[in-house]
Coordinates of all heavy atoms in Angstrom, one line a residue:
M708 N -147.9 19.9 110.7 CA -147.8 20.2 112.2 C -148.5 21.5 112.5 O -148.3 22.5 111.9 CB -146.3 20.3 112.6 CG -145.6 19.0 112.4 SD -146.0 17.8 113.6 CE -144.5 17.0 113.9
K709 N -149.4 21.4 113.5 CA -150.1 22.6 114.0 C -149.3 23.3 115.1 O -148.5 22.7 115.8 CB -151.5 22.2 114.5 CG -152.3 21.4 113.5 CD -152.9 22.3 112.4 CE -153.7 21.5 111.4 NZ -155.0 21.1 111.8
A710 N -149.6 24.6 115.3 CA -148.8 25.4 116.2 C -149.1 25.1 117.6 O -148.2 25.2 118.5 CB -149.1 26.9 115.9
Y711 N -150.3 24.7 118.0 CA -150.7 24.5 119.4 C -151.2 23.1 119.6 O -151.8 22.5 118.7 CB -151.8 25.4 119.8 CG -151.4 26.9 119.6 CD1 -151.7 27.6 118.5 CD2 -150.7 27.5 120.7 CE1 -151.3 28.9 118.3 CE2 -150.4 28.9 120.5 CZ -150.7 29.5 119.4 OH -150.3 30.8 119.2
V712 N -150.8 22.5 120.7 CA -151.2 21.2 121.1 C -152.0 21.3 122.4 O -151.5 21.8 123.4 CB -150.0 20.2 121.3 CG1 -150.5 18.8 121.8 CG2 -149.2 20.2 120.1
I713 N -153.3 21.0 122.4 CA -154.2 21.2 123.5 C -154.4 19.9 124.2 O -154.8 18.9 123.6 CB -155.5 21.8 123.1 CG1 -155.3 23.1 122.3 CG2 -156.4 22.0 124.3 CD1 -156.6 23.6 121.6
N714 N -154.2 19.8 125.5 CA -154.4 18.6 126.3 C -155.8 18.9 127.0 O -155.9 19.7 127.9 CB -153.3 18.5 127.4 CG -153.5 17.2 128.2 OD1 -154.6 16.6 128.2 ND2 -152.5 16.8 129.0
H715 N -156.8 18.1 126.5 CA -158.2 18.3 127.0 C -158.5 17.4 128.3 O -159.6 17.5 128.8 CB -159.2 18.0 125.9 CG -159.3 19.0 124.9 ND1 -159.7 20.3 125.2 CD2 -159.1 19.0 123.5 CE1 -159.7 21.0 124.0 NE2 -159.3 20.2 123.0
N716 N -157.5 16.6 128.7 CA -157.7 15.8 129.9 C -158.2 16.8 131.0 O -157.5 17.7 131.3 CB -156.4 15.1 130.3 CG -156.6 14.2 131.4 OD1 -157.3 14.5 132.4 ND2 -156.0 13.0 131.4
P717 N -159.3 16.5 131.6 CA -159.8 17.4 132.7 C -158.8 17.6 133.8 O -158.9 18.7 134.5 CB -161.1 16.7 133.2 CG -161.5 15.8 132.1 CD -160.2 15.3 131.4
A718 N -157.9 16.7 134.0 CA -156.9 16.9 135.1 C -155.8 17.8 134.7 O -155.0 18.2 135.5 CB -156.4 15.5 135.6
S719 N -155.7 18.0 133.4 CA -154.5 18.8 132.9 C -155.0 20.1 132.3 O -154.6 21.2 132.8 CB -153.8 18.0 131.8 OG -153.4 16.8 132.3
K720 N -155.8 20.1 131.3 CA -156.3 21.3 130.6 C -155.1 22.3 130.4 O -155.1 23.4 131.0 CB -157.4 22.0 131.4 CG -158.6 21.0 131.5 CD -159.7 21.6 132.4 CE -160.7 22.5 131.6 NZ -161.9 22.8 132.4
E721 N -154.3 21.9 129.5 CA -153.0 22.6 129.3 C -152.8 22.8 127.8 O -153.1 21.9 127.0 CB -151.9 21.8 130.0 CG -150.7 22.6 130.3 CD -149.8 21.9 131.2 OE1 -149.4 20.8 130.9 OE2 -149.6 22.4 132.3
I722 N -152.1 23.9 127.5 CA -151.8 24.2 126.1 C -150.3 24.3 125.9 O -149.7 25.0 126.6 CB -152.6 25.5 125.6 CG1 -154.1 25.3 125.8 CG2 -152.2 25.8 124.1 CD1 -154.9 26.5 125.4
H723 N -149.8 23.6 124.8 CA -148.4 23.6 124.5 C -148.2 24.3 123.2 O -149.1 24.3 122.3 CB -147.9 22.1 124.4 CG -148.1 21.3 125.6 ND1 -147.1 21.2 126.5 CD2 -149.1 20.6 126.0 CE1 -147.5 20.4 127.5 NE2 -148.7 20.0 127.2
R724 N -147.0 24.9 123.0 CA -146.7 25.5 121.7 C -145.6 24.6 121.0 O -144.5 24.4 121.6 CB -146.1 26.9 121.9 CG -147.1 27.9 122.4 CD -146.5 29.2 122.5 NE -145.3 29.3 123.4 CZ -144.6 30.4 123.7 NH1 -144.9 31.5 123.0 NH2 -143.6 30.3 124.5
R725 N -145.9 24.1 119.8 CA -145.0 23.2 119.2 C -143.6 23.8 118.9 O -142.6 23.1 119.1 CB -145.6 22.7 117.9 CG -144.8 21.6 117.3 CD -145.5 20.9 116.1 NE -146.7 20.1 116.4 CZ -146.7 18.9 117.0 NH1 -145.6 18.3 117.3 NH2 -147.8 18.3 117.3
D726 N -143.6 25.1 118.6 CA -142.3 25.7 118.4 C -141.4 25.7 119.6 O -140.2 25.9 119.5 CB -142.4 27.1 117.9 CG -142.9 27.2 116.5 OD1 -142.9 26.2 115.8 OD2 -143.1 28.3 116.0
H727 N -141.9 25.5 120.8 CA -141.2 25.6 122.0 C -141.2 24.4 122.9 O -140.8 24.4 124.0 CB -141.7 26.8 122.9 CG -141.6 28.1 122.2 ND1 -142.4 28.5 121.2 CD2 -140.7 29.1 122.3 CE1 -142.1 29.7 120.7 NE2 -141.0 30.1 121.4
L728 N -141.7 23.3 122.3 CA -141.8 22.0 123.1 C -140.5 21.6 123.7 O -139.4 21.8 123.1 CB -142.3 20.9 122.1 CG -143.7 20.9 121.7 CD1 -144.0 19.7 120.8 CD2 -144.7 20.9 122.9
T729 N -140.6 21.0 124.9 CA -139.4 20.5 125.6 C -139.7 19.0 125.9 O -140.9 18.5 125.8 CB -139.1 21.2 126.9 OG1 -140.1 20.7 127.9 CG2 -139.2 22.7 126.8
D730 N -138.7 18.3 126.3 CA -138.9 16.9 126.7 C -139.9 16.8 127.8 O -140.6 15.8 127.9 CB -137.6 16.2 127.1 CG -136.7 16.0 125.9 OD1 -137.2 16.0 124.7 OD2 -135.5 15.8 126.1
N731 N -140.0 17.8 128.7 CA -140.9 17.8 129.8 C -142.3 17.9 129.4 O -143.2 17.5 130.2 CB -140.5 18.9 130.8 CG -139.2 18.7 131.5 OD1 -138.9 17.6 131.9 ND2 -138.4 19.7 131.6
C732 N -142.6 18.3 128.2 CA -144.0 18.5 127.8 C -144.7 17.1 127.6 O -145.9 16.9 127.8 CB -144.1 19.2 126.5 SG -143.5 20.9 126.6
Q733 N -143.9 16.1 127.2 CA -144.4 14.7 127.0 C -145.7 14.6 126.2 O -146.6 14.0 126.6 CB -144.6 14.1 128.4 CG -143.3 14.0 129.2 CD -143.4 13.3 130.5 OE1 -144.2 13.7 131.4 NE2 -142.7 12.1 130.6
I734 N -145.7 15.3 125.1 CA -147.0 15.4 124.4 C -147.4 14.0 123.8 O -148.5 13.7 123.5 CB -147.0 16.4 123.3 CG1 -146.0 16.2 122.2 CG2 -147.0 17.8 123.9 CD1 -146.3 17.0 121.0
R735 N -146.4 13.1 123.6 CA -146.8 11.8 123.2 C -147.6 11.0 124.2 O -148.3 10.1 123.8 CB -145.5 10.9 122.9 CG -144.9 11.2 121.5 CD -143.8 10.2 121.1 NE -142.7 10.9 120.4 CZ -141.7 11.3 121.0 NH1 -141.5 11.2 122.3 NH2 -140.7 11.9 120.4
E736 N -147.5 11.4 125.4 CA -148.3 10.7 126.5 C -149.7 11.3 126.6 O -150.6 10.7 127.3 CB -147.7 11.0 127.8 CG -146.2 10.7 127.9 CD -145.8 9.2 127.5 OE1 -146.6 8.3 127.9 OE2 -144.9 9.1 126.7
I737 N -150.0 12.4 125.9 CA -151.4 13.0 126.0 C -152.4 12.2 125.2 O -152.2 11.9 124.0 CB -151.4 14.4 125.5 CG1 -150.3 15.3 126.2 CG2 -152.8 15.0 125.6 CD1 -150.2 16.7 125.7
K738 N -153.4 11.7 125.9 CA -154.4 10.9 125.2 C -155.6 11.7 124.6 O -156.0 11.4 123.5 CB -155.0 9.9 126.2 CG -153.9 8.9 126.7 CD -154.5 7.8 127.5 CE -153.5 6.7 127.7 NZ -152.2 7.2 128.4
D739 N -156.0 12.7 125.3 CA -157.1 13.5 124.8 C -156.5 14.8 124.2 O -156.6 15.9 124.8 CB -158.1 13.8 125.9 CG -159.4 14.4 125.3 OD1 -159.5 14.6 124.1 OD2 -160.3 14.7 126.2
K740 N -155.9 14.7 123.0 CA -155.1 15.8 122.4 C -155.8 16.4 121.2 O -156.4 15.7 120.4 CB -153.8 15.1 122.0 CG -152.9 16.1 121.3 CD -151.4 15.5 121.1 CE -151.3 14.0 121.0 NZ -149.9 13.6 120.8
E741 N -155.7 17.7 121.1 CA -156.2 18.4 119.9 C -155.1 19.3 119.4 O -154.5 20.0 120.2 CB -157.4 19.2 120.3 CG -158.0 20.0 119.1 CD -159.1 21.0 119.4 OE1 -159.6 21.0 120.6 OE2 -159.6 21.7 118.5
E742 N -154.9 19.3 118.1 CA -153.9 20.2 117.6 C -154.6 21.3 116.7 O -155.5 20.9 116.0 CB -152.9 19.4 116.7 CG -152.3 18.3 117.6 CD -151.0 17.7 117.0 OE1 -150.2 18.5 116.4 OE2 -150.7 16.6 117.2
T743 N -154.1 22.5 116.8 CA -154.8 23.6 116.1 C -153.8 24.7 115.7 O -152.8 24.9 116.4 CB -155.9 24.2 116.9 OG1 -156.6 25.1 116.1 CG2 -155.4 24.8 118.2
D744 N -154.1 25.4 114.6 CA -153.4 26.6 114.3 C -154.2 27.9 114.7 O -153.8 29.0 114.4 CB -153.1 26.7 112.8 CG -151.9 25.8 112.4 OD1 -151.0 25.7 113.2 OD2 -152.0 25.2 111.3
D745 N -155.4 27.6 115.3 CA -156.4 28.7 115.5 C -156.1 29.4 116.8 O -156.5 29.0 117.9 CB -157.8 28.1 115.5 CG -158.8 29.1 115.7 OD1 -158.5 30.3 115.9 OD2 -160.0 28.7 115.6
Y746 N -155.3 30.5 116.7 CA -155.0 31.2 118.0 C -156.2 31.8 118.7 O -156.2 31.8 119.9 CB -154.0 32.4 117.7 CG -153.7 33.1 119.0 CD1 -152.9 32.5 120.0 CD2 -154.2 34.3 119.2 CE1 -152.7 33.1 121.2 CE2 -154.0 35.0 120.5 CZ -153.3 34.4 121.4 OH -153.1 35.0 122.6
N747 N -157.2 32.2 117.9 CA -158.4 32.7 118.6 C -159.1 31.6 119.5 O -159.5 31.9 120.6 CB -159.5 33.1 117.5 CG -159.1 34.4 116.9 OD1 -158.5 35.3 117.5 ND2 -159.4 34.5 115.6
K748 N -159.0 30.4 119.1 CA -159.5 29.3 119.9 C -158.6 29.2 121.2 O -159.2 29.0 122.3 CB -159.5 28.0 119.1 CG -159.9 26.8 119.9 CD -160.0 25.6 119.0 CE -160.8 24.5 119.8 NZ -161.3 23.4 118.9
V749 N -157.3 29.2 121.0 CA -156.4 29.1 122.1 C -156.6 30.2 123.1 O -156.7 30.1 124.3 CB -155.0 29.1 121.6 CG1 -154.0 29.3 122.7 CG2 -154.7 27.8 120.9
Y750 N -156.8 31.4 122.5 CA -157.0 32.6 123.3 C -158.3 32.5 124.2 O -158.3 32.8 125.4 CB -157.2 33.8 122.4 CG -157.4 35.1 123.1 CD1 -156.4 35.9 123.7 CD2 -158.7 35.6 123.2 CE1 -156.6 37.1 124.3 CE2 -159.0 36.8 123.9 CZ -157.9 37.6 124.4 OH -158.2 38.8 125.0
R751 N -159.3 31.9 123.6 CA -160.6 31.8 124.4 C -160.4 30.7 125.5 O -161.1 30.8 126.5 CB -161.7 31.4 123.5 CG -162.2 32.5 122.6 CD -163.6 32.2 122.0 NE -163.5 31.0 121.2 CZ -163.2 30.9 119.9 NH1 -162.9 32.0 119.3 NH2 -163.2 29.7 119.3
L752 N -159.6 29.7 125.2 CA -159.4 28.6 126.2 C -158.6 29.0 127.4 O -158.8 28.6 128.5 CB -158.8 27.4 125.5 CG -159.7 26.6 124.6 CD1 -158.9 25.5 123.9 CD2 -160.9 26.0 125.3
L753 N -157.6 29.9 127.1 CA -156.7 30.3 128.2 C -157.3 31.1 129.3 O -158.2 31.9 129.0 CB -155.5 31.1 127.6 CG -154.5 30.3 126.8 CD1 -153.5 31.3 126.1 CD2 -153.6 29.4 127.7
K754 N -156.9 30.9 130.5 CA -157.3 31.7 131.6 C -156.9 33.2 131.3 O -155.9 33.4 130.7 CB -156.6 31.3 132.9 CG -157.0 29.9 133.4 CD -156.2 29.5 134.6 CE -156.5 28.1 135.0 NZ -155.8 27.6 136.1
P755 N -157.7 34.2 131.8 CA -158.9 34.0 132.6 C -160.2 33.8 131.9 O -161.2 33.7 132.5 CB -158.9 35.3 133.4 CG -158.4 36.3 132.4 CD -157.3 35.6 131.6
R756 N -160.1 33.9 130.5 CA -161.4 33.7 129.8 C -161.9 32.3 129.9 O -163.1 32.0 130.1 CB -161.2 34.1 128.3 CG -160.9 35.5 128.1 CD -160.2 35.8 126.8 NE -158.9 35.0 126.7 CZ -157.8 35.5 127.3 NH1 -157.7 36.7 127.8 NH2 -156.7 34.8 127.2
G757 N -161.0 31.3 129.7 CA -161.3 29.9 129.8 C -160.7 29.3 131.0 O -160.3 30.0 132.0
S758 N -160.5 28.0 131.0 CA -160.0 27.3 132.2 C -158.7 26.6 131.9 O -158.3 25.8 132.7 CB -161.1 26.3 132.7 OG -161.5 25.5 131.7
Y759 N -158.1 26.9 130.8 CA -156.9 26.2 130.4 C -155.6 27.1 130.8 O -155.7 28.3 130.9 CB -156.8 26.0 128.9 CG -157.7 24.8 128.5 CD1 -159.1 24.9 128.6 CD2 -157.1 23.6 128.0 CE1 -159.9 23.8 128.3 CE2 -157.9 22.5 127.6 CZ -159.3 22.6 127.8 OH -160.1 21.6 127.4
N760 N -154.6 26.3 131.1 CA -153.3 26.9 131.5 C -152.3 26.8 130.4 O -152.3 25.7 129.7 CB -152.8 26.2 132.8 CG -152.0 27.1 133.6 OD1 -151.7 28.2 133.3 ND2 -151.5 26.5 134.7
G761 N -151.4 27.7 130.3 CA -150.2 27.5 129.4 C -149.3 26.5 130.0 O -149.1 26.6 131.3
C762 N -148.6 25.7 129.2 CA -147.6 24.8 129.8 C -146.4 25.6 130.5 O -145.9 26.5 129.9 CB -147.1 23.9 128.7 SG -145.7 22.9 129.1
Y763 N -146.0 25.1 131.6 CA -144.9 25.7 132.3 C -143.7 25.7 131.5 O -142.9 26.7 131.5 CB -144.7 25.0 133.6 CG -143.5 25.5 134.4 CD1 -143.6 26.6 135.2 CD2 -142.3 24.8 134.4 CE1 -142.5 27.1 135.9 CE2 -141.2 25.3 135.1 CZ -141.3 26.4 135.9 OH -140.2 26.9 136.6
Y764 N -143.4 24.7 130.7 CA -142.2 24.5 129.9 C -142.2 25.3 128.6 O -141.1 25.8 128.2 CB -141.9 23.1 129.7 CG -141.7 22.3 131.1 CD1 -142.7 21.5 131.5 CD2 -140.6 22.5 131.9 CE1 -142.6 20.9 132.7 CE2 -140.5 21.9 133.1 CZ -141.5 21.0 133.5 OH -141.4 20.4 134.7
C765 N -143.3 25.3 127.9 CA -143.2 25.8 126.5 C -144.2 27.0 126.3 O -144.2 27.6 125.2 CB -143.6 24.7 125.5 SG -145.2 24.1 125.6
Y766 N -145.0 27.4 127.3 CA -145.9 28.5 127.1 C -146.0 29.3 128.5 O -147.0 29.5 129.0 CB -147.3 27.9 126.7 CG -148.1 28.9 125.9 CD1 -149.3 28.4 125.4 CD2 -147.8 30.2 125.7 CE1 -150.1 29.3 124.6 CE2 -148.6 31.0 125.0 CZ -149.8 30.6 124.4 OH -150.6 31.4 123.7
R767 N -144.8 29.6 129.0 CA -144.7 30.1 130.4 C -145.4 31.4 130.6 O -145.9 31.7 131.6 CB -143.2 30.1 130.8 CG -143.1 30.3 132.3 CD -141.7 30.0 132.9 NE -141.3 28.7 132.5 CZ -140.1 28.2 132.9 NH1 -139.3 28.9 133.6 NH2 -139.7 27.0 132.6
N768 N -145.4 32.2 129.5 CA -146.0 33.5 129.7 C -147.6 33.4 129.9 O -148.2 34.4 130.2 CB -145.7 34.5 128.6 CG -146.2 34.1 127.2 OD1 -146.4 32.9 127.0 ND2 -146.5 35.1 126.4
Q769 N -148.1 32.2 129.6 CA -149.5 32.0 129.9 C -149.7 31.0 131.0 O -150.8 30.5 131.2 CB -150.2 31.5 128.6 CG -150.3 32.6 127.5 CD -151.2 33.7 127.9 OE1 -152.0 33.7 128.8 NE2 -151.0 34.8 127.2
H770 N -148.6 30.7 131.7 CA -148.7 29.7 132.8 C -149.1 30.5 134.1 O -148.3 31.4 134.5 CB -147.4 29.0 133.0 CG -147.5 28.0 134.1 ND1 -148.0 26.7 133.9 CD2 -147.1 28.1 135.4 CE1 -147.9 26.1 135.1 NE2 -147.4 26.8 136.0
T771 N -150.2 30.2 134.7 CA -150.7 31.0 135.8 C -150.7 30.3 137.1 O -150.8 30.9 138.2 CB -152.1 31.5 135.5 OG1 -153.0 30.4 135.3 CG2 -152.2 32.4 134.3
D772 N -150.5 29.0 137.1 CA -150.4 28.3 138.5 C -149.7 27.0 138.3 O -149.3 26.6 137.3 CB -151.8 28.1 139.1 CG -152.8 27.3 138.2 OD1 -152.3 26.4 137.5 OD2 -153.9 27.7 138.2
Ligands
ZN1831 ZN1 -145.3 22.2 126.9

């Protein structure tokens, strides 16, 4: 199991943390999914450097809108 689950769907572009997943994350429903332990990659994807948002439920300190 990797630490981060990235939803690459252009309508979502959201990053989940496996240690904090909730039922609301619904990661089984994610079709364009990437799992990684590479925090540097996650860091680059997250706003404001990238265009990804932290999940409201499991990565709230990186959730910006
Ligand atoms: Zn989540």
